[in-house]
Amino acid sequence: MGRLEQRYRVFSAFLKLYPPDYRNRYGQEILQLTADMLDEAPGRFARLLIWSRVLADLPLNIIVQQCSYVGGIMYKDTPGYIKRNGVVAGVMLLPFVGALVANLLDQLVNNHDLYNSWLWRAPALATWILYLPILAFLVAGISYAVYVSRGAGGKTWLKRALNIVVSWPVLVSGLTAFAILFAVAFHDSVHCWVQSPAHVATHLSQTWQCSERNTISLPTVFKRAFEL
Amino acid sequence: MKRSMQLLPQLSFSILMALSLKPRHGYEIMKQVKEDSLGKINLNPASLYTAIKQLTDDGLIEELPQEDTRRRYYQLTKEGWQRLNAELEYFDNTVKLARQRKAYDSNGVMVWAA
């Protein structure tokens, strides 16, 4: 650890949030420049002012550099099928987002609850918002599995599995699809768990039964969607 | 036909202006930009190096070879000089045009002609 890193430990830790390439290239210079500014400050208040400016300026620039870094990796290293399938899976989730917004408007304007809403009364749409997330989850999941299982680049499967900088397009789409399916299945049972933690802990079996009673299995949801 | 020019962001332009006098390191650039802007542009380290990286990637400035990695000196490249001159020419024309359009009302106060 260099002299400046020791002198400004916290600031050096913040600089570690920059992407590695950028940090190696400009980290020392940023540290030196900050030290120069502080050394020339006339008093304690001026130093405080400099710190507030320097720290306030940091987050946005870190985000900019991280986006540029991830964008660069995507451009160079991310396989075409990961990018393509990430976008395809993301597009499949758009009807759900659209339906959610429409349903929210329906609730606000017509005071309809979910089961009496425009969303639930449109079977085709209800099917889309269930089938498409499943399809999106499969597309994203299979793409991720293919990426992890392929031995390209001389990395172990574990390293590839953890290399989210490359696989994030399918991971984001896949996890969003999973969250949608989870929400569809469990949204009625949430109230069983949203109580005081002490009550849940002391009435675990009742809470579990309540949850099971109110959980909608996916086949039930599909059936309901087709019946309408 | 002359290709249309995308103007540089204010910060990048200020850095090129600061480097037009001589090669400088980060802190010198920061001080020169403040001086050139009469104290209006007060740069911070993170923003400065984001702009420096962008200008380096665009080939408008380059780093002078040296061993000290804490204080690297930057200078304009040939492309950087061309770009700075093009920008200055644009601003020069804009100021000339503004001067031509300047008018004064009956009280002698300057107004812009419609």
Side-chain angles (χ1 to χ4, degrees):
Chain A
M1 191 184 273
R3 187 178 54 85
L4 284 177
E5 282 87 345
Q6 280 183 334
R7 192 172 153 198
Y8 304 113
R9 280 170 193 269
V10 177
F11 188 55
S12 299
F14 278 127
L15 292 182
K16 285 185 180 156
L17 297 172
Y18 272 116
D21 290 355
Y22 187 89
R23 192 172 62 237
N24 293 337
R25 177 65 190 76
Y26 297 107
Q28 292 287 316
E29 285 185 80
I30 293 176
L31 206 56
Q32 181 65 55
L33 175 49
T34 308
D36 288 344
M37 289 167 74
L38 291 165
D39 288 344
E40 277 197 14
R44 187 178 276 186
F45 182 69
R47 276 199 293 277
L48 199 69
L49 218 59
I50 288 171
W51 271 126
S52 62
R53 270 177 46 200
V54 167
L55 292 176
D57 187 45
L58 210 51
L60 184 66
N61 284 287
I62 288 174
I63 291 169
V64 166
Q65 293 308 328
Q66 285 288 3
C67 289
S68 161
Y69 175 65
V70 172
I73 283 181
M74 264 199 83
Y75 185 72
K76 284 187 299 186
D77 301 342
T78 304
Y81 68 92
I82 293 279
K83 290 182 217 170
R84 194 173 49 248
N85 292 349
V87 171
V88 167
V91 168
M92 284 180 192
L93 301 178
L94 288 180
F96 181 87
V97 177
L100 212 62
V101 173
N103 183 54
L104 190 71
L105 289 174
D106 200 24
Q107 281 181 355
L108 288 174
V109 176
N110 301 321
N111 204 21
H112 286 155
D113 64 12
L114 179 65
Y115 298 114
N116 194 23
S117 73
W118 166 86
L119 174 70
W120 219 245
R121 279 182 284 120
L125 192 64
T127 310
W128 289 353
I129 65 160
L130 297 167
Y131 275 125
L132 284 178
I134 287 182
L135 208 56
F137 181 70
L138 288 176
V139 167
I142 291 169
S143 305
Y144 181 66
V146 168
Y147 171 70
V148 171
S149 62
R150 276 187 184 171
K155 288 181 176 171
T156 63
W157 70 268
L158 186 64
K159 278 191 177 170
R160 284 195 300 280
L162 296 175
N163 195 9
I164 58 172
V165 179
V166 168
S167 57
W168 70 267
V170 287
L171 280 182
V172 169
S173 308
L175 289 175
T176 309
F178 181 77
I180 288 171
L181 294 170
F182 189 85
V184 167
F186 291 104
H187 71 273
D188 273 352
S189 63
V190 167
H191 72 272
C192 306
W193 298 93
V194 183
Q195 299 181 51
S196 75
H199 182 271
V200 171
T202 51
H203 299 78
L204 205 55
S205 62
Q206 287 99 319
T207 307
W208 189 252
Q209 281 168 10
C210 163
S211 178
E212 276 188 332
R213 228 179 6 257
N214 288 289
T215 298
I216 311 173
S217 69
L218 284 179
T220 312
V221 181
F222 287 135
K223 198 174 156 219
R224 200 180 292 180
F226 280 119
E227 279 169 357
L228 287 165
Chain B
M1 200 173 76
K2 211 172 180 179
R3 214 173 54 167
S4 66
M5 186 180 83
Q6 179 100 37
L7 283 176
L8 282 171
Q10 167 92 59
L11 183 54
S12 304
F13 175 75
S14 304
I15 292 172
L16 293 190
M17 277 295 285
L19 292 175
S20 65
L21 294 170
K22 61 172 187 177
R24 294 174 193 275
H25 60 70
Y27 194 40
E28 284 181 345
I29 294 174
M30 185 184 270
K31 287 203 279 195
Q32 188 62 46
V33 167
K34 189 175 179 182
E35 194 183 318
D36 290 349
S37 66
L38 306 175
K40 283 179 187 163
I41 301 179
N42 223 345
L43 280 171
N44 291 312
S47 298
L48 174 68
Y49 281 100
T50 297
I52 283 179
K53 181 180 183 294
Q54 187 61 51
L55 289 169
T56 310
D57 290 349
D58 292 345
L60 301 181
I61 64 173
E62 64 188 355
E63 171 193 330
L64 285 177
Q66 65 231 290
E67 285 182 9
D68 185 3
T69 57
R70 290 181 184 277
R71 281 207 183 87
R72 289 193 175 102
Y73 281 76
Y74 298 92
Q75 67 178 5
L76 290 176
T77 59
K78 192 179 166 195
E79 206 178 318
W81 277 111
Q82 285 171 350
R83 188 66 195 269
L84 182 62
N85 284 329
E87 295 262 331
L88 290 173
E89 196 181 334
Y90 169 81
F91 286 127
D92 197 33
N93 286 335
T94 309
V95 171
K96 274 183 196 156
L97 197 62
R99 288 214 171 106
Q100 284 168 12
R101 289 179 182 175
K102 213 154 58 175
Y104 296 89
D105 68 8
S106 54
N107 298 321
V109 178
M110 192 181 80
V111 293
W112 294 101

